Amino acid sequence: MDRRSSVPDEAVARLSQELKNYGVDENRWFACLHMREHFYHWRRSIDPLLSVDPHMPMIKHIICKQGGQVVRVGDPSMTLLPPMEGLIDLSVDPE
């Protein structure tokens, strides 16, 4: 295992397949974004620097201008994002 990676070697193939199952194109790069919103119920305090607008222009920029994909992670209470080619929203998955 590469010491810089936190993903164990034995999990890489399984997790790569999971991403493909969700729609990630293995021939394109992707950014994984953990986007916390201000109403997250486990927060002890609200820090506007850690809260983001879920309709960030960054998502469109990555997909439309950079040719990448976006995998959003978070929890199911997050604001739903509109469907967009290249956007995989894992926050809606209870698993």
Side-chain angles (χ1 to χ4, degrees):
M1 181 169 113
D2 182 343
R3 299 233 182 260
R4 294 172 293 174
S5 173
S6 61
V7 179
D9 290 340
E10 60 274 9
V12 171
R14 180 180 56 81
L15 294 173
S16 295
Q17 185 59 51
E18 287 283 333
L19 287 171
K20 282 196 257 185
N21 292 345
Y22 278 106
V24 173
D25 181 345
E26 64 183 327
N27 296 310
R28 291 172 56 197
W29 68 277
F30 70 91
C32 185
L33 303 177
H34 178 259
M35 299 168 49
R36 183 175 290 158
E37 295 181 11
H38 70 279
F39 55 79
Y40 182 59
H41 67 277
W42 295 109
R43 288 189 104 160
R44 295 182 190 272
S45 63
I46 296 173
D47 182 346
L49 294 176
L50 296 177
S51 296
V52 296
D53 175 351
H55 302 98
M56 293 171 50
M58 179 174 59
I59 292 173
K60 288 183 180 178
H61 181 78
I62 290 171
I63 295 170
C64 300
K65 302 287 187 191
Q66 299 288 323
Q69 303 166 96
V70 171
V71 176
R72 180 173 85 154
V73 297
D75 70 276
S77 73
M78 296 176 76
T79 302
L80 289 177
L81 295 176
M84 176 185 285
E85 172 113 15
L87 172 63
I88 297 91
D89 190 356
L90 299 182
S91 71
V92 298
D93 188 330
E95 298 289 321

